[in-house]
């Protein structure tokens, strides 16, 4: 901050300030905008472009897009393979993409069928969700290492909404046609679940949400693990209701299914641990899920567990693809409340994973294209009996560890799922559903381990720790949807509270420089007699206007009925000099609303009545425009507007 006039009358554009520095430092002269343009030659837009209406520019842009080169540029922007495929390194990348894609595809098969149970739909719908969204994202997505498909948290949220909106009859006796109609109605409820949404959730909210949802998944799979047919609990406190129902029905558990669950977990959990610990030594991760699925299917078939011990099995998986089904728009009002949190989770998790791996491997992500890719993926795939999907941490990590390099790995993954849909489906007829429940539980490993980051989060930011804790408790005790809402609201409240707890600092001049630092930091900082420099590092809006008024009144002694001298953090000799000029550093004021602007206008009026000149330094263009519209500069001439750091930051003599 330099070139600050100290006299009671504002100097003209060519005059020097008569405020002498006690340190003999040399200050440059204040510059008007015209003088700044003459010295530094800032580039200006042509008057014709500035005067052109917005609708005219938009029409010109659309007309250029309809031309040949414009259409090709639009096609390159919307189909990323047209950009990266010509530069694909076939010899270096093809083998890695093929191995990674086949590995992820093998995991998609059992995991898709398992997550379909969370969604309260037949297992084959999980295979559809592991095929269509992956294929669409490979064509539209910009994340080279991102793996999309079924996601446990989304499946759990979808299943809760499905059970509430389309409950299954209590008797459970449905014919084949009635069962197909019920399943079709359930899937059609979520065809429009993802719209144009760009809201981004904070990292503590997302991690707490996934950790809390993992506990919901664990509890919801207990009836399948024990072989106890129980109705699914929905709404608030559903986790505790499910635990109570399981404990009540524990004497009726099936010993056969309990044995299958114990053996499955005994195989899956160690394999998961081995894959993590020996990630760098293994050429590809051990496919524990598909091995467990095949072993359980063979065991159930050879031992006739389904008929002898009434073990619940997957049954026949329909071959081929489902017919496209348009949803009923009459159901749209009923699903909007459930669609919003699912859309939030979808984009937040997917965008976070894409950004993490883009930073790790030094490439860029187009957030708008990502939003389009996930939106089109969910919208189009919902026409083919797919439930909501997103990127997942488990399969994305698996893809990277297996050597995946580009989106081409997704096509190899689709080939595996396609082979199951067309030819290999009958092999899973005797697969026990208890094994799928074990796959759901074992896949929650990474989400449970996120709680180990809490001590580090406490050391870094206790506010973020509070956001994490409140969100997790709300998700566990209430529900995933309500917990997400509580976490978002609480996170926003912390931001608002932090803007209301900023300190307005009095600044002093560092010796031999033009730098100003808070006076309380050092006694060597000097304050110019008659000049008070204050820094307010927060937005000026309706929530902070009261604090802004109280802080300025305290520093300047402008309280009603107050006859005290202005407060200062500087030495006593500086405080004895009456304040003639107040400089308010607005570099930290990122925006101002109407209430904040009126507060500044009132402050300027009270300063004039007290014989104090108010200067606003480093006002950005947005804040200056708001203050101007509020009437702050009505009595200011153009010569009283000085530029300090270019045409977008200025000092205003009020």
């Amino acid at each position: 901050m330099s070139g600050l006039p100290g006299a009671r009358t504002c100097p003209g554009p060519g005059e020097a300030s008569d405020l002498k520095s006690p340190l003999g430092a040399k200050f440059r002269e204040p510059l008007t905008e015209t003088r700044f343009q003459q010295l530094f030659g800032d580039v200006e837009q042509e008057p014709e472009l500035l005067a052109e209406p917005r609708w005219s520019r938009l029409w010109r842009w659309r007309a250029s897009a309809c031309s040949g080169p414009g259409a090709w540029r639009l096609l390159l922007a919307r189909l990323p393979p047209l950009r990266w495929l010509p530069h694909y390194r076939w010899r270096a990348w093809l083998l890695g993409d093929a191995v990674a894609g086949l590995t992820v595809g093998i995991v998609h098969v059992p995991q898709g069928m398992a997550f379909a149970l969370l969604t309260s739909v037949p297992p084959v719908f999980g295979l559809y969700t592991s095929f269509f969204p992956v294929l669409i994202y490979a064509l539209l997505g910009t994340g080279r290492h991102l793996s999309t498909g079924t996601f446990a948290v989304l499946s759990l949220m979808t299943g809760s909404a499905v059970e509430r909106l389309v409950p299954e009859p209590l008797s459970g006796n449905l014919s084949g046609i009635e069962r197909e109609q019920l399943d079709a109605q359930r899937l059609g409820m979520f065809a429009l679940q993802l719209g144009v949404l760009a809201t981004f959730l904070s990292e503590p909210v997302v991690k707490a949400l996934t950790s809390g949802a993992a506990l919901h998944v664990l509890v919801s799979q207990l009836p399948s693990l024990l072989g106890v047919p129980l109705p699914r609990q929905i709404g608030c406190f559903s986790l505790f209701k499910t635990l109570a129902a399981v404990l009540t029905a524990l004497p009726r558990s099936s010993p056969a299914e309990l044995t299958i669950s114990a053996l499955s977990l005994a195989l899956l959990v160690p394999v998961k641990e081995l894959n993590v610990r020996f990630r760098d030594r293994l050429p590809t991760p051990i496919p524990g899920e598909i091995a467990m699925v095949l072993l359980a299917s063979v065991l159930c078939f050879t031992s006739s567990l389904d008929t002898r011990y009434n073990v619940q099995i997957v049954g026949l998986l329909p071959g081929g693809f489902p017919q496209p089904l348009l949803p009923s728009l009459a159901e749209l009002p009923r699903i909007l409340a459930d669609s919003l949190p699912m859309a939030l989770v979808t984009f937040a998790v997917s965008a976070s994973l894409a950004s993490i791996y883009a930073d790790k491997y030094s490439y860029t992500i187009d957030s708008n294209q990502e939003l389009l890719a996930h939106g089109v993926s969910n919208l189009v795939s919902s026409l083919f009996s797919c439930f909501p999907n997103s990127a997942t941490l488990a399969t994305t990590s698996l893809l990277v560890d297996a050597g995946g390099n580009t989106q081409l790995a997704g096509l190899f993954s689709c080939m595996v799922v396609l082979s199951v849909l067309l030819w290999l489906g009958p092999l899973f007829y005797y697969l026990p559903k208890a094994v799928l429940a074990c796959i759901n539980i074992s896949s929650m490993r990474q989400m449970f381990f996120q709680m180990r980051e809490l001590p580090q989060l406490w050391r870094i930011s206790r506010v973020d720790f509070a956001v994490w804790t409140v969100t997790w408790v709300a998700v566990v005790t209430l529900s995933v949807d309500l917990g997400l809402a509580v976490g978002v609201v609480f996170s926003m409240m912390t931001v608002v509270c932090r803007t209301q707890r900023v300190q307005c600092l009095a600044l002093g001049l560092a010796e031999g420089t033009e730098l100003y630092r808070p006076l309380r930091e050092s006694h060597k900082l000097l304050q110019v007699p008659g000049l008070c420099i204050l820094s307010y590092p927060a937005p000026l809006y309706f929530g902070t206007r009261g604090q802004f008024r109280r802080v300025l009144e305290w520093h300047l002694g402008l309280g009603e009925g107050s006859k005290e001298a202005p407060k200062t953090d500087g030495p006593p000799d500086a405080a004895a000099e009456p304040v003639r000029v107040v400089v308010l550093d607005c570099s930290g004021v990122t925006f101002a609303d109407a209430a904040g602007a009126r507060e500044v206008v009132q402050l300027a009026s009270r300063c004039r009545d007290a014989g104090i000149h108010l200067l606003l330094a480093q006002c950005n263009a947005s804040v200056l425009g708001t203050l101007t519209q509020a009437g702050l500069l009505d009595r200011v001439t153009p010569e009283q507007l000085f530029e300090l750091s270019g045409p977008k930051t200025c000092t205003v003599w009020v």
Side-chain angles (χ1 to χ4, degrees), residues 1-4 28 507 534-536 583-590 615-624 627 642-646 648-652:
M1 218 179 304
S2 59
L4 300 174
R28 63 167 171 79
L507 305 181
L534 303 175
S535 175
Y536 187 77
V583 178
L584 182 60
D585 179 16
C586 299
S587 58
V589 182
T590 55
L615 286 166
L616 304 182
Q618 301 291 340
C619 270
N620 62 50
S622 174
V623 174
L624 183 60
L627 297 179
F642 299 101
E643 296 293 334
L644 284 179
S645 303
K648 291 187 178 180
T649 57
C650 62
T651 300
V652 182

Side-chain angles (χ1 to χ4, degrees), residues 452-471:
R452 297 187 300 184
E453 302 176 4
L454 287 180
Q456 182 184 10
L457 187 61
W458 171 266
R459 293 191 297 267
I460 295 175
S461 173
R462 297 187 179 183
V463 174
D464 288 343
F465 179 88
V467 171
W468 197 104
T469 305
V470 169
T471 305

Side-chain angles (χ1 to χ4, degrees), residues 246-299:
V246 169
L247 292 177
T248 303
L250 194 58
R252 306 195 309 268
S253 60
S254 171
E257 297 200 52
L258 185 59
T259 303
I260 293 175
S261 301
L263 293 176
S264 300
L265 290 176
L267 174 65
L268 291 173
V269 174
V271 168
K272 290 277 188 181
E273 192 65 25
L274 288 175
N275 286 334
V276 173
R277 292 196 175 186
F278 300 98
R279 177 182 303 174
D280 299 331
R281 301 182 184 180
L282 294 173
T284 58
I286 303 174
E289 290 88 350
I290 195 65
M292 189 67 247
V293 165
L294 295 177
L295 288 176
S297 300
V298 172
L299 178 63

